[in-house]
Amino acid sequence: MRNSRMTLSTAACAVLLWLASLATALHAAAVDAKLWKTYCDDAKKAVQERRDQEADQFIGMAVGAAESFGEADPRLVETLFMAAGLQQARKRFADAETHLRRALAVREARLGTNHLSVAECVFHLGNNLSDQKKFTEAEPFLKRAEHIAKWKTSAYHPTVGTCQAALARNYSLAGRYDQADKLYTAALKILGTQTSTTKFKGGPDMIEERLFVPDYRRVMQIRMEQAQTLHLGKKHKDAEDAFKKLVKLIEDREGKDSVLLVNPLLAFGLHCADVKKYPAAETLLLRRQGIITEHAGPKHPAHLATKAALERVYREQGKDAEADLLARQLSEAGVKPDAAK
């Protein structure tokens, strides 16, 4: 009987020791998770406040804390993405590339080479390489992201359109304007159209409806890139049509005095100046000036780009008095009058 009591007592002690060990491990994990979140928050704040040295330290500490969770923990890739995003925001693209390549390697090891989460890593890495002007190196990554998206979803899924727009941007930056234009058009057919899909889950009575509503801010950005690509490719009529579609889209969605028109009107005005359609350029630029004044007042720095463009338009039309006035204003502001050329 004594031996039985001793055996039970020993077993109870073992259980208690195991529970204590488990509690200690859980407490340590909770502390580590709290530290990890603190490092992430501190890194973001340091980047926002432009405390570069501290930002680098906190980014490294956040990644180090995430590594302690192991590669199977999703927080590691989440932290690598955060670190890459913060470096991208600081235009430190090579540093961002290091984090993105590691995130890709981690996900490929866990998920294989053709998973949608792998495509996400490939997509961001391709965009990063485009930002570094490594256009040839970026192309296969962006094509791979598009291929995985088509295979895992469908040829007309919004993810495919997003990949096509990124590849088009890469081509445009590389001077491959015709290829870029075709891909921009394909992307807009997907991303600019409201669609719905029906999926059956488990049986005919279990239907899931999914509705895709275009993100018109993204569509506007793609139309802007396409119009500028056509301009650079010297397809002047197509570029003019693209700018008109962009302006109309913004007017229809946001109103004729929307601040979103500011950049398109400048780009459209400069396009018209390049093809010597000076009255049209002047109208567009004066309209831009009016919108900026309405939203931000007459002294906003954005007026300087308008004045530089207008100075050029007036000068090339022989309106020297108007051009000279703008040239003096630009000079007083420390801007060269020919900045818009």
Side-chain angles (χ1 to χ4, degrees):
M1 181 66 70
R2 185 185 302 174
N3 290 339
S4 177
R5 289 197 194 98
M6 289 177 63
T7 303
L8 287 173
S9 177
T10 302
C13 287
V15 170
L16 289 173
L17 286 171
W18 178 80
L19 288 173
S21 175
L22 177 61
T24 301
L26 290 173
H27 176 71
V31 171
D32 288 344
K34 187 175 180 180
L35 278 175
W36 166 73
K37 187 177 185 309
T38 299
Y39 293 149
C40 290
D41 292 341
D42 288 344
K44 293 172 186 176
K45 186 176 180 181
V47 168
Q48 289 173 352
E49 296 176 356
R50 298 183 180 180
R51 294 182 279 118
D52 290 343
Q53 188 173 357
E54 291 179 62
D56 288 335
Q57 292 175 346
F58 286 129
I59 288 171
M61 292 163 74
V63 173
E67 288 172 339
S68 70
F69 303 138
E71 292 198 347
D73 192 300
R75 285 174 292 186
L76 176 57
V77 171
E78 178 187 340
T79 309
L80 290 169
F81 270 137
M82 178 212 71
L86 293 178
Q87 300 291 24
Q88 286 274 137
R90 301 159 76 193
K91 299 192 183 302
R92 297 174 62 167
F93 301 120
D95 292 333
E97 180 187 346
T98 300
H99 296 304
L100 290 171
R101 286 189 182 276
R102 186 172 177 200
L104 175 59
V106 171
R107 278 195 171 166
E108 283 183 328
R110 289 186 57 239
L111 304 171
T113 58
N114 292 311
H115 194 281
L116 273 175
S117 293
V118 171
E120 180 187 20
C121 293
V122 172
F123 173 82
H124 288 299
L125 180 54
N127 274 332
N128 169 273
L129 293 168
S130 289
D131 289 334
Q132 295 186 66
K133 304 187 189 309
K134 297 179 179 179
F135 307 122
T136 302
E137 192 176 346
E139 182 178 355
F141 284 102
L142 295 171
K143 282 185 173 181
R144 181 183 170 194
E146 181 191 11
H147 174 75
I148 296 173
K150 281 183 178 179
W151 185 36
K152 293 293 186 178
T153 57
S154 70
Y156 296 99
H157 193 275
T159 305
V160 175
T162 300
C163 293
Q164 290 173 335
L167 185 55
R169 174 177 174 269
N170 185 66
Y171 284 154
S172 182
L173 291 172
R176 297 163 65 177
Y177 303 124
D178 288 342
Q179 290 171 286
D181 178 37
K182 290 177 182 177
L183 275 172
Y184 278 131
T185 299
L188 286 167
K189 283 182 180 178
I190 297 174
L191 297 175
T193 305
Q194 181 167 302
T195 57
S196 62
T197 59
T198 302
K199 289 190 175 182
F200 296 95
K201 300 177 65 179
D205 296 326
M206 299 175 67
I207 298 174
E208 178 184 351
E209 284 282 350
R210 291 185 179 180
L211 180 66
F212 169 71
V213 179
D215 177 354
Y216 284 102
R217 297 292 180 95
R218 180 71 179 117
V219 172
M220 291 169 195
Q221 179 186 349
I222 294 171
R223 286 205 175 278
M224 177 75 156
E225 290 177 11
Q226 183 179 32
Q228 291 176 312
T229 294
L230 290 165
H231 171 78
L232 291 169
K234 300 189 183 303
K235 293 188 174 181
H236 300 311
K237 179 63 172 64
D238 292 339
E240 182 176 339
D241 290 342
F243 277 120
K244 286 180 178 178
K245 287 179 181 178
L246 171 60
V247 170
K248 187 176 187 307
L249 174 62
I250 298 173
E251 289 175 341
D252 291 345
R253 300 296 306 183
E254 307 288 338
K256 294 190 175 182
D257 295 320
S258 170
V259 72
L260 294 178
L261 286 163
V262 167
N263 288 336
L265 288 174
L266 177 61
F268 195 4
L270 290 172
H271 165 77
C272 289
D274 284 346
V275 297
K276 303 188 185 307
K277 292 187 175 182
Y278 299 119
E282 182 178 346
T283 299
L284 291 164
L285 294 169
L286 289 174
R287 182 180 174 188
R288 180 183 198 263
Q289 194 172 51
I291 291 173
I292 295 171
T293 299
E294 178 184 344
H295 287 276
K299 295 184 179 181
H300 194 274
H303 283 298
L304 296 174
T306 313
K307 289 180 178 180
L310 276 170
E311 190 273 339
R312 172 192 168 189
V313 168
Y314 287 145
R315 189 77 65 195
E316 292 182 8
Q317 289 184 92
K319 296 181 178 180
D320 292 332
E322 293 91 334
D324 289 342
L325 175 61
L326 290 173
R328 284 195 297 273
Q329 293 175 357
L330 290 166
S331 179
E332 290 169 1
V335 179
K336 294 181 179 180
D338 60 355
K341 287 187 181 179

